[in-house]
Structures are given as structure tokens and as C-alpha cells.
């Protein structure tokens, strides 16, 4: 795991909106990647929804950009204890992709996978209801490769390891299937407000 972090000033731990055990990283945005940053261009990128759906669907860059845009403005929280306030991501709501594919009634969970092979699992209810995005812009600019560009999953109400960079697809399942970090001791859901960091928390 390649961890890069630089602190601009003293970490703040007293800020409203800060989940327990977190500090405010200020303007810093640490990069945390288990993989080498892939050389992935928009032309190489695609996003797929399959598994327990009526119509497995794939979108290339242009098809995804033809969908109605959606913005997230708020905070993000990494399990390594930094939080970042007031970020702005642009992309498309995951609801738009899921609705097009038509989840079957038996679908309860999902595994998101990246073009690099990274995986992470989520309950389907955490990916619906306007709480998850496929994001390709940050602060009005293209998402940079080290932060998951061309596009990443964004699930900001959960710890940031759920927000798979270089997102390739979401597979709907009728059971929970641990992803990369979840197989390595991290919590299956990862709610920062309940400090669900590790298995058993
Ligand atoms: N593909 C992929 N996605 C990933 C990761 C990763 O290692 N690989 N790390 C996760 C973790 S632990 C965090 S905190 C965030 C980090 O995103 P950032 O590097 O843009 O801050 O990405 C998440 N998504
Ligand atoms: Mo993280």
C-alpha cells in the first residue's frame, strides 16, 4: 500500500460534522491506493451493472456523459482518520445506472470492482436513494488519475475505502461478499458515524 500524506498545519479534531476519531485534513487530499495508478484514458473506461438485474448494461465514456448530471457537495471520511470538508464532485447518480439495469427483487448487496481489480462490498441500500455517484469531476475539473480518474465510485456517507477508484462496474448479489479491504479485517459496512472501522466494530 502506497500512502502519501502531507499535513498543512495542525490536524483539527474539534470541528462540528467530524465523525468520532477523525481529524480535519484541511486542504490536503491524501492519496491511498493499494495498486499502481493505472494508465486509463476516457476511451478505455467503461462502467457496467450486472448480476441480479433485468438488463445487464454497460456504458462507455460518452454514453455515461449523456446521462443527467448530478453533484455531491459535502464531506468525505477515510478510515485512516482524515476527513475532508466541503468537497464537490460531479458525475451521475448511481441510481440512474441502477434504474436502467433494473435490480431484481432478490438483489440485496453489491460488489463494486475497479479496472485494476480492486473490489469493495456494499448493501444495495447504501448505493440507492441519491447517496452514491459515478464521479469524474472534482472542484469542476477532471478527476486526476491518482484520485481515481477518469471516474470513481463515490459513497460519501461511508468510509472512503468504499469509493472505488477507476470504477469498472457494480454487480448485484443476494448476499454480502467481502471485497479487498473487507477480506483484510475491515468492516463490511463502514459507517464513520458508528466508527465501523474493523470487523466486529
Ligand atoms: N481502486 C481503488 N480504490 C480505492 C482504494 C484503492 O486502494 N484502490 N483505496 C480506498 C481508500 S482506503 C480510500 S481512503 C480512498 C482514497 O481515495 P483518494 O486516494 O482519492 O484519497 O480510495 C478508496 N478507493
Ligand atoms: Mo481509506
Amino acid at each position: 500500500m502506497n500512502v502519501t500524506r502531507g499535513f498543512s498545519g495542525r490536524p483539527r479534531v474539534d470541528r462540528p460534522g467530524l465523525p468520532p476519531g477523525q481529524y480535519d485534513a484541511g486542504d490536503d487530499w491524501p492519496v491511498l491506493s493499494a495498486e499502481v495508478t493505472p494508465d486509463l484514458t476516457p476511451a478505455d473506461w467503461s462502467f457496467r451493472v450486472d448480476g441480479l438485474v433485468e438488463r445487464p448494461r454497460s456504458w462507455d465514456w460518452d454514453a455515461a456523459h449523456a446521462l443527467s448530471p448530478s453533484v455531491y457537495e459535502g464531506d468525505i471520511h477515510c478510515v485512516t482518520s482524515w476527513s475532508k470538508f466541503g468537497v464537490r464532485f460531479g458525475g451521475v447518480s448511481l441510481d440512474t445506472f441502477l434504474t436502467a439495469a433494473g435490480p431484481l427483487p432478490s438483489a440485496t448487496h453489491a460488489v463494486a470492482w475497479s479496472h485494476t481489480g480492486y473490489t469493495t462490498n456494499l448493501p444495495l441500500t447504501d448505493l440507492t436513494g441519491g447517496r452514491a455517484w459515478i464521479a469524474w469531476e472534482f472542484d469542476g475539473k477532471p478527476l486526476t488519475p491518482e484520485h481515481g480518474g477518469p471516474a470513481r465510485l463515490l459513497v460519501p456517507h461511508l468510509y472512503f475505502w468504499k469509493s472505488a477508484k477507476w470504477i469498472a462496474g457494480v454487480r448485484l448479489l443476494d448476499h454480502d461478499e467481502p471485497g479487498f479491504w473487507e477480506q483484510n479485517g475491515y468492516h463490511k459496512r463502514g459507517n464513520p458515524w458508528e466508527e465501523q472501522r474493523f470487523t466486529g466494530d
Side-chain angles (χ1 to χ4, degrees), residues 1 32 77-82 118 159-162 181:
M1 156 140 280
L32 285 104
H77 311 287
C78 173
V79 71
T80 61
S81 84
W82 56 266
Y118 181 88
Y159 282 125
F160 212 35
W161 89 77
K162 300 289 181 178
W181 286 118

Side-chain angles (χ1 to χ4, degrees), residues 1-182:
M1 156 140 280
N2 171 30
V3 177
T4 312
R5 43 170 26 181
F7 298 103
S8 54
R10 260 180 65 190
R12 289 186 53 185
V13 294
D14 55 351
R15 179 167 180 162
L18 197 62
Q22 298 290 109
Y23 74 90
D24 175 1
D27 290 335
D28 278 350
W29 188 4
V31 171
L32 285 104
S33 303
E35 318 93 301
V36 172
T37 297
D39 188 9
L40 191 67
T41 67
D44 302 324
W45 183 84
S46 63
F47 177 66
R48 181 172 175 78
V49 177
D50 65 14
L52 296 174
V53 295
E54 285 167 21
R55 302 167 292 276
R57 290 279 310 262
S58 295
W59 292 262
D60 65 11
W61 186 253
D62 290 342
H65 281 67
L67 301 171
S68 59
S70 177
V71 163
Y72 169 73
E73 278 177 302
D75 311 330
I76 54 177
H77 311 287
C78 173
V79 71
T80 61
S81 84
W82 56 266
S83 289
K84 194 167 165 55
F85 284 80
V87 299
R88 182 186 164 91
F89 283 97
V92 168
S93 171
L94 197 66
D95 290 302
T96 304
F97 296 96
L98 290 173
T99 302
L104 294 172
S106 53
T108 57
H109 291 81
V111 170
W113 78 94
S114 298
H115 284 277
T116 52
Y118 181 88
T119 56
T120 186
N121 57 301
L122 304 105
L124 186 52
T125 50
D126 281 318
L127 291 177
T128 53
R131 299 200 292 168
W133 288 261
I134 300 300
W136 42 68
E137 271 181 23
F138 180 78
D139 279 349
K141 297 190 200 85
L143 188 65
T144 57
E146 68 269 23
H147 287 301
R152 74 183 299 161
L153 180 62
L154 175 68
V155 192
H157 70 284
L158 299 179
Y159 282 125
F160 212 35
W161 89 77
K162 300 289 181 178
S163 295
K165 304 199 276 191
W166 315 296
I167 187 70
V170 167
R171 182 159 299 148
L172 302 199
L173 307 170
D174 62 6
H175 62 279
D176 203 3
E177 202 169 284
F180 176 77
W181 286 118
E182 296 84 2

